[in-house]
């Protein structure tokens, strides 16, 4: 063959990873691109459109000015690890050794994949509640785990305990749990966590808990960290980040907390994946984590008002809403609008109405389960709500067509 001639299509596809072929690009981030393309109001991806707190922005600027501009310790700047450990002890009563049980990563996204790659062997299964935050599917594929899905059922997003118990077995390496939950807004109750704890202990499995919405809780709901339950320390990996709590999703600073031998494995994977998170932003993170309790109280109050505002707008436009008790999303039922499925509806919404949301099917392994759902985020400022409300007015004409 002439070395200059193009390779046949077949050999091109063999050059690509089979793992990467098994998942698609992120639907959520694609919706953000469509929102930009059509000039739509973006209520799809969960990032605030209001400013981050002034004091932590100042801390980041000061860190750069003080020349904290070189690699931090690969598993995290000591000041940040100490601040994380101190806050976890203060808020959840969990004491961790920041020298041996904590790894700072590039966002909770990297903390999750580093954890998975640090614990998964071929043949291992990972239990995932669905609907799920879409990253967990590719995380399972990339780390080589076989996902086993257990449904959270509306309207309260409860799970069937027997179904969950039957999903665990000798091949179960971990369960991934996100509380407060994206996309449902569920906040797992103590009895539910204890039931999961007992399964993890029985089958010697990990509970990897993504707790990044810990401070977005409403109506008296309480966030309970899995690691705080009796007997869970050796079985838990607690994942969190600056992203949501401090409105800095673009900083990419998160962490994983786990027993020393698990942490040692996570640190190795993390080191060779990314070396470390941005050094000056880690310093600013240390300042953020030292904010007083009043910061978190105010955050929850402000988000309660945003949730109620968004519930009002969506209900008025004809959506049936599942009222969230935590996180900053509202899952809706779109059956009243008469569209064949969620993707058709979301495309209509972004192109014709000018509002971007996420089709429910992207949170399920089988698209059919999410056909009647669309998710909206409410981490937005009042002018965004106002504009969204005006645009969604146009939907009213279509509401009720299926009633
Ligand atoms: C449940 C959940 N986990 C993780 C992430 C990503 O977090 P980070 O920005 O810390 O990587 C998100 C972002 O929306 C999320 O909803």
């Amino acid at each position: 063959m002439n070395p200059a001639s193009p390779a046949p299509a077949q050999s091109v596809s063999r050059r690509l990873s089979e793992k990467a072929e098994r998942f698609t690009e992120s639907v959520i981030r694609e919706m953000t691109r469509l929102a930009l393309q059509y000039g739509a109001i973006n209520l799809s991806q969960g990032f605030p459109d209001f400013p981050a707190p002034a004091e932590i922005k100042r801390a980041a600027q000061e860190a750069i000015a003080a020349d904290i501009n070189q690699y931090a310790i690969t598993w995290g700047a000591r000041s940040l690890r100490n601040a994380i450990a101190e806050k976890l002890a203060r808020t959840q009563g969990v004491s961790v050794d920041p020298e041996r049980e904590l790894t700072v990563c590039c966002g909770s996204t990297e903390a999750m994949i580093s954890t998975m790659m640090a614990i998964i062997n071929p043949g291992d299964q990972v239990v995932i509640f669905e609907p799920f935050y879409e990253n967990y599917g590719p995380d399972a594929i990339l780390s080589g785990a076989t996902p086993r899905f257990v449904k959270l059922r509306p309207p309260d997003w409860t799970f069937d305990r027997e179904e969950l118990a039957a999903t665990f077995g000798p091949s179960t390496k971990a369960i991934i749990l996100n509380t407060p939950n994206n996309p449902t807004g569920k906040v797992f109750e103590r009895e539910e966590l204890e039931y999961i704890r007992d399964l993890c202990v029985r089958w010697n499995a990990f509970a990897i808990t993504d707790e990044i919405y810990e401070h977005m809780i409403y109506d008296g709901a309480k966030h309970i960290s899995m690691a705080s339950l009796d007997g869970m320390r050796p079985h838990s990996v607690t994942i969190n980040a600056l992203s949501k709590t401090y409105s800095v999703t673009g900083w990419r600073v998160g962490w994983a907390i786990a027993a020393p031998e698990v942490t040692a494995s996570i640190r190795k994977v993390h080191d060779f994946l990314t070396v470390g998170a941005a050094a000056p932003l880690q310093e600013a993170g240390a300042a953020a984590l030292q904010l007083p309790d009043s910061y978190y109280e105010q955050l929850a109050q402000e988000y309660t008002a945003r949730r109620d505002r968004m519930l009002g707008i969506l209900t008025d436009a004809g959506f049936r809403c599942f009222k969230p008790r935590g996180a900053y999303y509202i899952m809706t039922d779109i059956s009243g609008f008469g569209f064949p499925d969620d993707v058709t509806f979301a495309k209509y919404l972004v192109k014709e109405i000018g509002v971007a949301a996420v089709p429910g099917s992207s949170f399920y392994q089988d698209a059919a389960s999410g056909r009647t759902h669309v998710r909206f985020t409410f981490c937005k400022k009042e002018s965004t709500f106002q504009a969204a409300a005006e645009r969604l007015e146009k939907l009213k004409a279509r509401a009720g067509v299926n009633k």
Side-chain angles (χ1 to χ4, degrees):
M1 191 177 89
N2 176 351
S5 66
Q10 200 190 6
S11 63
V12 171
S13 77
R14 256 191 272 115
R15 290 171 63 200
L16 303 179
S17 150
E18 279 175 20
K19 282 180 176 171
E21 296 280 305
R22 280 166 53 205
F23 53 90
T24 58
E25 75 162 329
S26 156
V27 178
I28 297 178
R29 293 176 280 280
E30 185 196 355
M31 289 311 298
T32 287
R33 282 195 295 279
L34 286 177
L36 285 171
Q37 185 182 336
Y38 291 103
I41 293 162
N42 188 1
L43 301 181
S44 59
Q45 200 174 355
F47 59 83
D49 66 354
F50 44 82
E55 55 269 55
I56 74 165
K57 289 192 286 197
R58 205 175 316 114
Q61 288 158 356
E62 284 168 5
I64 290 176
D67 243 324
I68 303 180
N69 293 316
Q70 310 309 326
Y71 300 124
I73 298 170
T74 187
W75 49 80
R78 184 163 287 125
S79 58
L80 176 57
R81 281 182 289 121
N82 287 344
I84 293 166
E86 191 281 321
K87 178 167 177 281
L88 194 64
R90 183 160 50 88
T91 57
Q92 292 289 327
V94 175
S95 64
V96 300
D97 178 355
E99 291 304 323
R100 297 191 312 141
E101 296 184 302
L102 215 161
T103 312
V104 175
C105 296
C106 298
S108 63
T109 301
E110 195 239 317
M112 181 61 78
I113 188 69
S114 289
T115 300
M116 299 277 282
M117 294 181 87
I119 63 168
I120 297 297
N121 289 311
D124 284 349
Q125 297 183 357
V126 171
V127 181
I128 301 175
F129 283 114
E130 70 170 354
F132 53 86
Y133 171 58
E134 61 171 357
N135 281 33
Y136 304 153
D139 284 341
I141 293 169
L142 289 170
S143 63
T146 305
R148 300 281 313 273
F149 296 97
V150 173
K151 286 238 158 53
L152 296 173
R153 295 175 200 280
D156 295 329
W157 307 105
T158 45
F159 59 90
D160 181 330
R161 294 189 177 197
E162 280 171 25
E163 183 190 347
L164 181 67
T167 312
F168 273 72
S171 301
T172 308
K173 179 57 71 73
I175 178 169
I176 298 179
L177 188 79
N178 171 219
T179 184
N181 185 262
N182 170 14
T184 65
K186 177 184 174 70
V187 179
F188 281 73
E189 305 279 351
R190 180 172 292 280
E191 307 83 72
E192 292 175 315
L193 295 173
E194 285 175 350
Y195 187 78
I196 296 166
R197 184 259 326 263
D198 292 347
L199 288 170
C200 289
V201 171
R202 172 163 175 221
W203 294 105
N204 193 24
F206 291 102
I208 309 173
T209 58
D210 178 339
E211 303 184 6
I212 67 164
Y213 297 104
E214 64 171 328
H215 293 292
M216 282 102 195
I217 35 174
Y218 317 116
D219 307 333
K222 209 169 155 1
H223 168 66
I224 300 168
S225 189
M226 195 55 145
S228 70
L229 266 55
D230 273 355
M232 266 319 273
R233 285 304 302 286
H235 294 282
S236 65
V237 181
T238 308
I239 288 181
N240 213 321
L242 298 180
S243 307
K244 312 288 178 176
T245 305
Y246 306 102
S247 305
V248 288
T249 58
W251 280 19
R252 319 305 307 130
V253 179
W255 53 89
I257 293 169
E261 73 280 11
V262 186
T263 293
S265 187
I266 295 172
R267 285 180 173 184
K268 280 191 289 182
V269 176
H270 156 73
D271 187 7
F272 289 106
L273 276 182
T274 67
V275 178
L281 302 183
Q282 292 193 50
E283 290 307 325
L289 280 135
Q290 287 168 52
L291 287 173
D293 288 349
S294 56
Y295 172 79
Y296 306 102
E297 284 152 21
Q298 194 183 336
L299 189 78
Q301 270 170 23
E302 287 170 356
Y303 269 109
T304 305
R306 290 186 190 111
R307 177 200 63 167
D308 293 345
R309 176 82 167 105
M310 196 66 202
L311 278 172
I313 293 169
L314 292 173
T315 309
D316 200 41
F319 290 89
R320 209 181 120 226
C321 297
F322 299 99
K323 190 176 182 182
R325 299 182 72 227
Y328 54 44
Y329 306 95
I330 298 176
M331 198 63 148
T332 64
D333 186 322
I334 54 162
S335 5
F337 293 109
F339 282 79
D341 59 58
D342 58 316
V343 174
T344 315
F345 179 82
K347 292 219 162 123
Y348 169 83
L349 203 64
V350 73
K351 288 183 194 168
E352 308 297 333
I353 303 290
V355 173
V358 182
S361 53
S362 66
F363 304 105
Y364 288 89
Q365 124 251 27
D366 59 321
S369 295
R371 262 186 67 242
T372 56
H373 296 315
V374 162
R375 188 203 76 175
F376 292 84
T377 185
F378 56 83
C379 49
K380 302 297 167 190
K381 55 183 188 246
E382 176 50 32
S383 56
T384 309
F385 289 131
Q386 185 61 40
E390 281 162 20
R391 293 183 182 200
L392 288 169
E393 274 281 309
K394 285 181 271 168
L395 254 189
K396 278 189 184 168
R398 294 204 61 130
V401 291
N402 260 13
K403 277 184 190 154

